[in-house]
């Protein structure tokens, strides 16, 4: 007996797949036949998609909400479509694009139109992915130009950092003692102290205590 399947994909674990699931249930896809990946569409190395391929048999029907849920790489979308329709010999229905329903128009003209629409939509899907990446890169560059810093924020310094750094600068304590008093790594202390304009006056004194120069 021919089976009905559905494939759902969102780009990350933070995104919600509910909208796609509602559509699959409206098409009477059994819950255990809905395969979900929460991964990028840049390639087809996705665990649930691989499981779906193993489960599909000839003349089964696969529902997709839109072509970009299958993937976003132009060449790979076309290759997977070929595998699904020519190798696995299953029917595919792209719900948001009625022309991409292999159950309809299986004559030469119907196949030609379906293939043409698929190529156009696949190209659009990949181009959109590239444009998103480009906009992200441009946004980051613009933010950096405005002075926005990315990455983990620096931890606040102890309240008595200036006092300890001043004593270190005068040679009253060495770098190791200063770091221990502040309860931070020696390398962190030296980096922060120099960044804030402190410089040890007696370098040989500091080096003689911790075995390194400042």
């Amino acid at each position: 007996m021919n089976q009905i399947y559905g494939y759902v994909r969102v780009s990350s674990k933070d995104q919600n797949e509910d909208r796609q699931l509602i559509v699959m249930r409206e098409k009477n896809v059994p819950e255990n036949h809905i395969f979900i990946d929460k991964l990028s569409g840049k390639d087809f190395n996705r665990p649930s998609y691989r499981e779906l391929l193993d489960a599909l048999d000839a003349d089964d029907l696969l529902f997709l909400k839109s072509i970009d849920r299958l993937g976003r790489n132009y060449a790979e979308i076309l290759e997977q479509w070929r595998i699904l329709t020519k190798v696995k010999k299953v029917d595919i229905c792209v719900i948001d694009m009625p022309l991409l329903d292999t159950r309809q128009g299986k004559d030469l003209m119907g196949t030609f139109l379906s293939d043409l629409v698929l190529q156009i939509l696949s190209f659009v899907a990949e181009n959109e992915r590239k444009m998103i990446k480009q906009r992200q890169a441009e946004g980051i560059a613009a933010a950096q130009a405005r002075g926005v810093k990315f990455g983990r924020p620096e931890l606040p310094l102890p309240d008595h950092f200036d006092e300890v750094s001043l004593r270190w600068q005068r040679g009253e304590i060495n770098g190791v003692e200063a770091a221990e008093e502040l309860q931070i790594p020696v390398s962190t202390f030296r980096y922060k102290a120099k960044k804030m304009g402190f410089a040890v006056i007696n370098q040989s004194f500091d080096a003689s205590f911790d075995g390194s120069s400042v």
Side-chain angles (χ1 to χ4, degrees):
M1 181 178 176
N2 299 342
Q3 302 291 319
I4 300 175
Y5 291 87
Y7 180 66
V8 170
R9 185 186 66 80
V10 290
S11 296
S12 70
K13 293 181 179 179
D14 296 332
Q15 293 183 331
N16 194 310
E17 69 275 16
D18 287 353
R19 189 164 55 93
Q20 295 179 67
L21 290 174
I22 290 171
V23 173
M24 295 300 163
R25 289 162 186 154
E26 288 174 349
K27 295 296 182 181
N28 298 316
V29 180
E31 292 290 334
N32 64 335
H33 282 189
I34 300 175
F35 290 78
I36 304 172
D37 275 317
K38 295 190 176 185
L39 290 167
S40 165
K42 65 181 181 179
D43 58 46
F44 284 85
N45 187 25
R46 311 175 212 138
S48 290
Y49 182 76
R50 292 299 174 189
E51 289 179 20
L52 171 65
L53 281 182
D54 290 339
L56 287 167
D57 288 321
D59 297 323
D60 286 343
L61 173 61
L62 173 63
F63 281 106
L64 303 165
K65 187 176 187 307
S66 58
I67 194 64
D68 62 346
R69 297 306 88 199
L70 182 61
R72 288 187 179 275
N73 182 296
Y74 175 65
E76 290 198 23
I77 289 175
L78 297 179
E79 174 61 14
Q80 291 302 313
W81 189 276
R82 184 193 67 80
I83 291 171
L84 289 165
T85 59
K86 307 300 183 187
V87 179
K88 302 293 290 188
K89 298 185 184 302
V90 304
D91 277 316
I92 305 175
C93 175
V94 180
I95 298 166
D96 287 351
M97 181 53 64
L99 284 174
L100 288 180
D101 185 344
T102 61
R103 297 172 297 177
Q104 310 297 326
K106 292 199 173 186
D107 58 6
L108 184 61
M109 180 58 70
T111 301
F112 170 76
L113 288 174
S114 179
D115 288 347
L116 180 61
V117 171
L118 172 64
Q119 293 206 35
I120 293 171
L121 292 179
S122 301
F123 173 79
V124 170
E126 181 175 8
N127 192 57
E128 181 184 359
R129 179 176 68 88
K130 289 180 178 178
M131 290 299 294
I132 289 172
K133 279 191 166 184
Q134 181 179 335
R135 287 195 294 268
Q136 287 174 338
E138 290 172 351
I140 291 172
Q144 288 175 332
R146 296 195 306 269
V148 176
K149 295 186 181 297
F150 295 90
R152 185 180 298 175
E154 295 184 358
L155 294 175
L157 293 173
D159 293 338
H160 59 309
F161 183 87
D162 286 357
E163 175 203 339
V164 174
S165 297
L166 188 58
R167 288 164 52 209
W168 169 72
Q169 179 175 276
R170 291 171 179 164
E172 297 173 8
I173 56 174
N174 63 40
V176 174
E177 292 169 334
E180 287 178 351
E181 190 170 334
L182 294 167
Q183 296 185 328
I184 61 176
V186 177
S187 58
T188 300
F189 165 71
R190 286 213 177 96
Y191 170 76
K192 296 288 187 182
K194 290 181 179 179
K195 187 177 179 182
M196 295 177 67
F198 294 98
V200 66
I201 296 172
N202 189 347
Q203 294 190 20
S204 60
F205 168 80
D206 192 60
S208 68
F209 277 87
D210 57 30
S212 63
S213 61
V214 293

